[in-house]
Amino acid sequence: MAPPRILVVGAGFAGVECVRRLERRLAPGEAQITLVTPFSYQLYLPLLPQVASGVLTPQSVAVSLRRSRRHRTRIVPGGAIGVDTRAKVCVIRKITDEIVNEPYDYIVLAAGSVTRTFDIPGLLDNARGMKTLAEAAYVRDHVIAQLDLADASHDEAERASRLQFVVVGGGYAGTETAACLQRLTTSAVRHYPRLDARLIKWHLIDIAPKLMPELGDKLGQAALEVLRKRNIEVSLGVSIAKAGPEEVTFTDGRVLPCRTLIWTAGVAASPLIATLGAETVRGRLAVTPQLSLPGADGVFSLGDAAAVPDLAKGDGAVCPPTAQHAMRQGRVLADNLIASLRHQPLQDYVHKDLGLVVDLGGKDAVSKPLGIELRGLPAQAVARGYHWSALRTNVAKTRVATNWMLNAVAGDDFVRTGFQSRKPATLRDFEYTDAYLTPEQIKEHTASAVIKH
């Protein structure tokens, strides 16, 4: 008799932690493990702003999935575009665009999230996100290119538009992105003698009335003060009304000449979740405290893709989409999968939030570990210490620590690689949000595959 087939979709914090625990705790031959992911690495997402600013190299935050000594998971290079829970089949589009069916006995949906967008004219065509390694590399190239082009231009209007940068989203991703990239352009402008540093202007806008409200009023205000001291113009209660290739219109009526719009206004669950036709909570799959999908045999979900009840908070709260929850959910889900295989009781997921860290670059940071409010160098030490310790391999830790040391000693560099220089990429291009099937298409596809078989 063939061993049960466990299919894990997604190689983020949740999916990788689940696979690693399964590899360690399952006996050889007890189950077959398959992981579906376009890339054979786990991306350490919180450090992407530092990749965009050149503090870290892309390779340092892309942790190989094949370095583990216990590695015995089959990796399918592609993305899941639909799931038929009745037929127990996952439809996968490989990186070659070939569509294949992957049958399973148990499926773990750790598909993560994509950049949340709204129906704003021009947004999808003219904005860039900060959700993938390719986006971070592209944004870095693009920002440096604006300095190069502005320096070479004789047109004052063109020069002004290229030196205005807008980041939308006052959460962690947006705040860190604006802070890190502003440091990059401030350092770079010294090497552009024809540019007036006063013309370079960064804008951080958010529709919310406060910056990073999760940090509390004191730390949120401290972060705001750091940004404004760096001449980053922070506008709260404001969003984008229209995004053009050379200008951005704000909801307060301002029209800003601008060729760089970075959109980090929240995340939404992977479009894969909509293919199941199951109950959702704000787009995230509604699961039990044991991380299983009610009414669907062998289906589990966690991380950003799932609305996991937060039993530590109670009152119907769900766990926020953070790395610390995703990693711990991955471990609990692996244990529950093993318990299911061995016909043992499942456990609930319970975790009390350990706090938050925000790295603003240089000596600036705000952190709230275990409810203790920190700012400046102590906060920076906690922020970088947390990120460093959370990296999964010693190789990744060594690369990140070396990059930090090199940047501290040698400063920033301003090399533009030419990545996607001739073809501006859109949010869809980076995150493949239009690649998914409808529930009807999935049923047709799996039915035709059964007939052919």
Side-chain angles (χ1 to χ4, degrees):
M1 183 177 178
R5 298 161 298 188
I6 299 174
L7 181 63
V8 180
V9 176
F13 290 105
V16 169
E17 201 64 32
C18 178
V19 167
R20 290 182 68 216
R21 200 170 184 93
L22 289 173
E23 288 182 333
R24 288 195 300 268
R25 299 201 169 187
L26 284 173
E30 191 174 358
Q32 296 176 354
I33 309 171
T34 300
L35 176 64
V36 180
T37 174
F39 312 106
S40 58
Y41 63 76
Q42 176 193 1
L43 176 64
Y44 193 82
L45 194 66
L47 291 178
L48 274 187
Q50 295 190 39
V51 173
S53 63
V55 173
L56 298 176
T57 61
Q59 190 180 16
S60 63
V61 300
V63 184
S64 173
L65 298 178
R66 299 185 184 274
R67 279 191 173 270
S68 170
R69 293 180 181 178
R70 294 185 177 87
H71 174 69
R72 54 192 171 96
T73 297
R74 171 175 163 253
I75 298 177
V76 179
I81 58 174
V83 179
D84 188 334
T85 56
R86 291 188 178 181
K88 288 198 168 184
V89 171
C90 180
V91 184
I92 299 169
R93 187 190 301 275
K94 290 186 177 180
I95 58 175
T96 58
D97 278 338
E98 176 189 3
I99 297 179
V100 298
N101 289 335
E102 187 70 35
Y104 65 84
D105 296 299
Y106 297 91
I107 188 169
V108 177
L109 299 173
S113 57
V114 296
T115 301
R116 180 182 62 182
T117 58
F118 300 97
D119 189 18
I120 297 172
L123 178 65
L124 293 177
D125 294 323
N126 298 300
R128 309 291 174 259
M130 191 58 65
K131 198 78 174 82
T132 69
L133 195 58
E135 281 178 311
Y138 176 88
V139 166
R140 171 174 165 77
D141 261 24
H142 174 80
V143 168
I144 296 174
Q146 300 316 299
L147 299 181
D148 289 343
L149 291 166
D151 183 65
S153 177
H154 297 290
D155 186 326
E156 292 301 322
E158 178 190 354
R159 181 175 290 191
S161 70
R162 292 195 183 279
L163 297 180
Q164 297 266 17
F165 305 91
V166 176
V167 179
V168 182
Y172 306 109
T175 302
E176 290 186 338
T177 296
C180 290
L181 286 172
Q182 184 272 339
R183 280 180 56 86
L184 173 67
T185 54
T186 299
S187 179
V189 76
R190 303 169 192 162
H191 302 270
Y192 292 84
R194 296 182 67 250
L195 291 183
D196 184 348
R198 293 171 296 181
L199 293 178
I200 298 177
K201 190 68 178 179
W202 281 87
H203 302 260
L204 176 62
I205 70 171
D206 192 65
I207 196 66
K210 295 181 181 179
L211 194 69
M212 294 183 293
E214 299 90 342
L215 283 173
D217 290 343
K218 288 184 179 179
L219 287 185
Q221 185 62 33
L224 185 61
E225 290 172 2
V226 168
L227 298 179
R228 286 180 169 161
K229 282 181 181 178
R230 294 192 194 171
N231 292 320
I232 298 175
E233 185 172 320
V234 181
S235 301
L236 300 174
V238 177
S239 189
I240 295 295
K242 184 180 179 181
E246 297 183 11
E247 67 177 26
V248 173
T249 304
F250 293 174
T251 52
D252 62 5
R254 285 180 289 166
V255 179
L256 187 74
C258 170
R259 305 196 188 202
T260 305
L261 174 61
I262 303 173
W263 181 268
T264 64
V267 296
S270 166
L272 176 68
I273 299 307
T275 72
L276 276 72
E279 181 185 352
T280 59
V281 178
R282 294 184 180 179
R284 301 166 70 187
L285 201 60
V287 297
T288 68
Q290 298 84 33
L291 309 174
S292 63
L293 180 63
D297 182 40
V299 180
F300 296 82
S301 188
L302 72 168
D304 291 9
V308 179
D310 192 341
L311 300 183
K313 289 184 178 178
D315 296 327
V318 298
C319 296
T322 61
Q324 61 175 290
H325 278 289
M327 293 171 69
R328 288 165 176 79
Q329 288 168 12
R331 297 169 200 156
V332 170
L333 199 154
D335 290 343
N336 282 349
L337 263 177
I338 295 169
S340 296
L341 291 172
R342 299 172 182 173
H343 306 290
Q344 297 171 349
L346 309 188
Q347 61 176 305
D348 289 346
Y349 172 74
V350 184
H351 169 63
K352 186 176 181 181
D353 205 301
L354 297 178
L356 306 162
V357 296
V358 181
D359 188 338
L360 300 174
K363 300 177 182 179
D364 296 321
V366 289
S367 300
K368 196 175 182 180
L370 302 174
I372 302 171
E373 296 186 348
L374 301 173
R375 65 189 71 182
L377 279 176
Q380 183 65 282
V382 169
R384 293 203 169 181
Y386 171 78
H387 289 316
W388 185 85
S389 64
L391 290 164
R392 191 169 52 82
T393 67
N394 289 330
V395 172
K397 290 179 179 180
T398 302
R399 283 179 176 149
V400 167
T402 302
N403 284 177
W404 280 337
M405 290 175 61
L406 183 61
N407 182 261
V409 173
D412 298 307
D413 70 83
F414 320 108
V415 175
R416 178 165 51 88
T417 65
F419 177 66
Q420 287 278 17
S421 60
R422 297 286 181 178
K423 180 189 174 185
T426 66
L427 283 168
R428 290 193 192 94
D429 294 328
F430 284 121
E431 302 186 33
Y432 307 104
T433 52
D434 56 352
Y436 297 86
L437 303 179
T438 65
E440 292 74 21
Q441 289 173 323
I442 294 168
K443 290 177 182 177
E444 290 177 7
H445 189 81
T446 54
S448 63
V450 170
I451 293 172
K452 287 179 183 179
H453 180 73

